[in-house]
Amino acid sequence: MAILIPEVVQFAAGNTDFYEAAYDNYHNPSPEKETLLNKAFFAEVERKSGVSRDGLTLEAWMSHPSVQWVK
């Protein structure tokens, strides 16, 4: 298990699988892990935003207010 800061664990609501995979890929990169991590990233954004990509183009999904990064 990766050592994650408490804020990441809280943000993940206890489901830290994606964040641990990202940590592992950072320290032990491979093309296979990168492909899986990319897929998992979009799944995590869907989970946290509550907005599914089904039926939407990537551009439409990314422009949804719940998906966008807000500073």
Side-chain angles (χ1 to χ4, degrees):
M1 180 174 159
I3 299 172
L4 301 173
I5 61 172
E7 290 82 2
V8 170
V9 175
Q10 181 181 6
F11 179 78
N15 184 358
T16 59
D17 295 342
F18 167 73
Y19 304 96
E20 290 180 30
Y23 181 89
D24 180 49
N25 186 58
Y26 179 80
H27 291 285
N28 305 297
S30 75
E32 296 83 16
K33 286 181 188 176
E34 185 176 336
T35 300
L36 292 173
L37 190 59
N38 187 42
K39 194 173 186 180
F41 170 76
F42 284 109
E44 182 68 2
V45 173
E46 285 182 347
R47 184 178 79 84
K48 293 301 288 181
S49 70
V51 179
S52 174
R53 290 175 55 197
D54 292 339
L56 296 174
T57 65
L58 183 60
E59 291 78 19
W61 178 74
M62 289 175 18
S63 66
H64 190 285
S66 293
V67 175
Q68 292 179 347
W69 180 274
V70 180
K71 290 185 179 183

